[in-house]
Amino acid sequence: IFGGMKWISGWLLLLSISVEVWSVPIDRNAAQQVPKEEVQEENMDTGLYYDRYLREVIEVLETDPHFREKLQTANTEDIKNGRLSKELDLVSHHVRTRLDELKRQEVSRLRMLLKAKLDSTNTQSLQMDHASLLKQFEHLDPHNQNTFEAKDLELLISTATKDLENYDAERHEEFKRYEMLKEHERREYLKSLDQEKREKEEKRMQELKEKHRQHPKVNAPGSVDQLREVWEETDGLDPQEFNPKTFFKLHDTNEDGVLDEQELEALFTKELEKVYDPKNEEDDMMEMEEERLRMREHVMKNVDANKDRLVSLEEFLKSTEKKEFSNPKEWETLENKPVYTEEELQRFEAELRDKEEELKRRAETLLQEQELLRERGKALEAQRREYQNVSATERTAGSGWAASCGIVVTFFGLSQNNLPAEPPQNLPLHT
């Protein structure tokens, strides 16, 4: 991410973002066929509403040699506590000018978002205080809307760090709601069946559940057994010659000296394939991704000593010396780890019922409005026809009057063609 600068991914935690991305086994042969200069890292969207602004700021800062050097030598704490932000005063004038421009563009974008939000809520504000409204956005200084200062960089770093640290927790919560919705729909489906069909369907579901449980043993992620399995089946090497240092270098695919979160998640594919198969009805791929996330968090908790969301070679080698590496606890997969309680499910179902009632009320309101519009349409149509009838009557009356005038003229032996242009002159007095 950000041109391969992994020092920046550490403090922003961007490599933790892997929404709906499935990691796959590493194909060493395919990797060798692609020239190294042609391999480009994919810039994944962080999911932050200021993602583009964040990326552009980092890209501009990378162009300054002084700041780039400071970033490469700084540690995570230096960046998080704001000491690095003070280095902004030493960057080139061109970089500062570009950062100022980026900030003005971001402020303009946020103003448009605020205006759209106010318009959508029918809020009328002739004297809109933009500075006050911009305070709700924590990633920039709302009091200075024209120049990018050290405080802006500090706010951007702290806000992105905080937001991304909460990302995994949000993913777990979304998965819990997914599981509760699945269980709710299962129960509702069974309720809709008669007793005989319900018993038959319950038996079938239980058989599928048991079938899913009958999978090979899953090695604890990060254990010697799990890594040796990757070494043998993915890397094609002799398991008896397993070497942690060589293993690390093999799976540091971008050769930046650390294993990021996606490189770690790629190591768990073999274990996940033991439990989940997309062809099987009983295997849920959403559960597989939750399992992958749990495995990655487990390894990070036990290996990532400085909590920068990256595993260095030193951290990796130290983890292989721990007792848990050779004798880990048995890994419990999701079917043995319920993600919600019955009480949580009941609250969730009550929430669903409330939303359903609200939707029904809205639907009834819309139907009433639709009926009202239909009645108004009928009234307008009747009014239009009435106007047409009146116009037609007036045209008929006008035609009848013109015809009467023609009869009178003809009766006196006159027509429009033989009427004299002027009255006759010098007629006898008694004519």
Side-chain angles (χ1 to χ4, degrees), residues 276-293:
Y276 301 96
D277 185 341
K279 298 178 182 178
N280 294 339
E281 180 184 357
E282 67 274 11
D283 297 337
D284 189 330
M285 295 301 102
M286 288 287 290
E287 293 179 358
M288 183 184 77
E289 291 309 308
E290 174 70 7
E291 195 78 74
R292 191 191 303 275
L293 175 59

Side-chain angles (χ1 to χ4, degrees), residues 34-78:
V34 181
K36 189 173 181 179
E37 60 271 17
E38 294 181 6
V39 178
Q40 297 181 353
E41 293 185 61
E42 181 183 0
N43 289 343
M44 295 174 298
D45 194 322
T46 63
L48 302 174
Y49 67 89
Y50 49 91
D51 174 81
R52 181 174 177 178
Y53 174 65
L54 174 65
R55 292 179 183 279
E56 289 178 340
V57 167
I58 298 302
E59 289 171 2
V60 171
L61 287 172
E62 285 181 6
T63 64
D64 186 85
H66 171 79
F67 202 88
R68 184 185 182 94
E69 180 183 355
K70 289 295 181 180
L71 277 171
Q72 288 175 327
T73 57
N75 57 38
T76 307
E77 288 304 314
D78 288 337

Side-chain angles (χ1 to χ4, degrees), residues 137-198:
F137 301 106
E138 299 178 345
H139 65 289
L140 50 73
D141 180 7
H143 301 294
N144 173 18
Q145 302 180 20
N146 297 310
T147 59
F148 190 98
E149 305 296 339
K151 185 175 182 180
D152 288 292
L153 182 57
E154 185 177 345
L155 288 171
L156 185 60
I157 291 173
S158 61
T159 305
T161 302
K162 179 189 67 176
D163 291 345
L164 291 172
E165 282 176 344
N166 295 330
Y167 184 76
D168 284 350
E170 292 175 0
R171 285 181 62 185
H172 286 308
E173 188 61 29
E174 288 177 3
F175 176 73
K176 179 191 287 189
R177 293 182 67 84
Y178 167 79
E179 288 288 287
M180 289 191 293
L181 179 60
K182 189 168 71 171
E183 175 62 17
H184 168 72
E185 291 178 343
R186 186 189 73 86
R187 294 184 181 186
E188 292 298 310
Y189 168 65
L190 292 174
K191 286 180 184 178
S192 67
L193 304 177
D194 59 43
Q195 184 175 354
E196 182 180 352
K197 289 182 178 179
R198 182 166 57 251

Side-chain angles (χ1 to χ4, degrees), residues 248-295:
F248 182 94
K249 292 183 177 180
L250 278 173
H251 293 273
D252 177 17
T253 55
N254 55 6
E255 300 180 0
D256 61 355
V258 293
L259 295 180
D260 60 52
E261 293 179 340
Q262 282 199 300
E263 287 169 335
L264 282 175
E265 287 187 0
L267 302 178
F268 310 141
T269 299
K270 286 295 179 183
E271 300 303 320
L272 293 169
E273 287 177 348
K274 296 176 182 179
V275 186
Y276 301 96
D277 185 341
K279 298 178 182 178
N280 294 339
E281 180 184 357
E282 67 274 11
D283 297 337
D284 189 330
M285 295 301 102
M286 288 287 290
E287 293 179 358
M288 183 184 77
E289 291 309 308
E290 174 70 7
E291 195 78 74
R292 191 191 303 275
L293 175 59
R294 291 179 63 240
M295 289 180 171

